Amino acid sequence: VYDLANNSRTAHLPNKRQPDFSAGGYLVANGEGGGVDDLVRMDAGGGNERLISKHPEDAHPHWSPSGVSVVFDSNYHGDQRHRIYLLADAGARGDGQWLEYSGREIFGRYPVYLSNWRIAYNGCNSWEGGGSCGIYAADSEGSLPVRATDQPGDIPTDNLGSQVLFTSARGGNWDVYAVNWDGSGLRRLTNNPARDGLATASPDGKHIAFVSDRDGTWAVYVMDTSGGGQRKLFDLQGEYGTGDQDWIQERISWGP
């Protein structure tokens, strides 16, 4: 955890990945190793740790706008297919309920809640055979998910209000994009030969932080919501692994 006001690291949370801050300052993360292999809720500094899910396969948790429920993906089910799950009360431990449309499970990964209570995720229209893939925006009421992008490799990382921030290699290399939940207003926010991605919005919605290896090592950068004013905030003390897409499985979050 990095404190921007003091330009210093304030906490190290071992065996935790894919963090997300709620508006109230709680932190949810994917626990891996150290005896914590499920989703876990904590205070911002890692205190008062509490398990909230029941399966090591549960991943990519993201808070609802109210800071009560959490959406995540998991392939713990017998067929090993990734589904989107909703844990209605992240104050208690549970399996979560998978999202459905027309009585069928919604398959996908990397879910994020939007400010309009839509849930954006990477997936395909499995209810129609699965031939159209990209980012979809669903809800928890069972209505038809709306297709927001048309590239199978688009990965949601956070919201900018009702817009989806996502990482994509659609332009030939990994960059940060934003799109309205209904597919309108697609914007490319970075355009660098290096790898840019994992964008997250500031609590006031005026800035976007993202990671990049444009200077030869991984670091966190910031820009305004139009993509301008890009500058480095701090270096990351570590790497994401040797594979080209290892880093895509991670997330960063900007908390209050």
Side-chain angles (χ1 to χ4, degrees):
V1 179
Y2 193 92
D3 186 342
L4 289 175
N6 297 315
N7 292 318
S8 64
R9 289 171 172 81
T10 60
H12 173 224
L13 311 179
N15 306 111
K16 308 294 190 301
R17 58 191 295 217
Q18 300 160 355
D20 186 55
F21 281 107
S22 72
Y26 283 113
L27 182 64
V28 67
N30 177 5
E32 291 191 2
V36 180
D37 291 312
D38 306 314
L39 303 184
V40 59
R41 191 193 79 173
M42 303 160 282
D43 295 337
N48 296 316
E49 185 177 299
R50 175 183 297 180
L51 294 176
I52 62 171
S53 78
K54 296 182 177 180
H55 306 280
E57 297 87 352
D58 301 343
H60 302 108
H62 199 268
W63 286 104
S64 68
S66 67
V68 174
S69 56
V70 165
V71 67
F72 62 95
D73 66 48
S74 184
N75 66 340
Y76 82 85
H77 206 64
D79 59 8
Q80 292 295 295
R81 297 182 68 182
H82 286 90
R83 292 169 169 84
I84 307 298
Y85 290 83
L86 178 63
L87 187 63
D89 180 6
R93 193 177 187 189
D95 284 323
Q97 177 62 49
W98 62 53
L99 298 187
E100 295 183 346
Y101 165 64
S102 192
R104 302 176 184 177
E105 306 102 314
I106 291 180
F107 299 102
R109 301 187 71 186
Y110 313 106
V112 298
Y113 253 116
L114 308 180
S115 65
N116 61 1
W117 288 86
R118 291 269 179 172
I119 296 167
Y121 65 95
N122 170 277
C124 305
N125 61 335
S126 55
W127 52 89
E128 292 179 343
S132 298
C133 303
I135 294 175
Y136 282 81
D139 62 30
S140 59
E141 306 301 322
S143 64
L144 176 66
V146 175
R147 192 180 186 190
T149 75
D150 60 1
Q151 299 294 308
D154 294 346
I155 299 176
T157 58
D158 198 12
N159 72 68
L160 183 64
S162 62
Q163 297 180 65
V164 186
L165 294 174
F166 67 97
T167 304
S168 178
R170 58 171 58 204
N173 63 283
W174 294 103
D175 279 300
V176 175
Y177 294 79
V179 67
N180 295 327
W181 70 270
D182 62 0
S184 63
L186 176 66
R187 298 183 293 134
R188 185 174 185 171
L189 299 178
T190 67
N191 189 1
N192 192 285
R195 292 175 288 184
D196 298 338
L198 310 187
T200 183
S202 62
D204 62 7
K206 296 180 179 180
H207 297 88
I208 296 170
F210 63 99
V211 303
S212 178
D213 62 353
R214 60 181 61 184
D215 284 344
T217 59
W218 288 104
V220 174
Y221 291 74
V222 68
M223 59 183 167
D224 61 40
T225 57
S226 69
Q230 297 180 18
R231 60 185 177 87
K232 183 189 290 189
L233 289 177
F234 56 91
D235 290 318
L236 292 176
Q237 294 180 341
E239 295 295 332
Y240 280 115
T242 57
D244 178 60
Q245 298 190 41
D246 290 352
W247 67 287
I248 291 297
Q249 303 301 320
E250 303 306 330
R251 281 183 173 170
I252 65 172
S253 182
W254 195 333

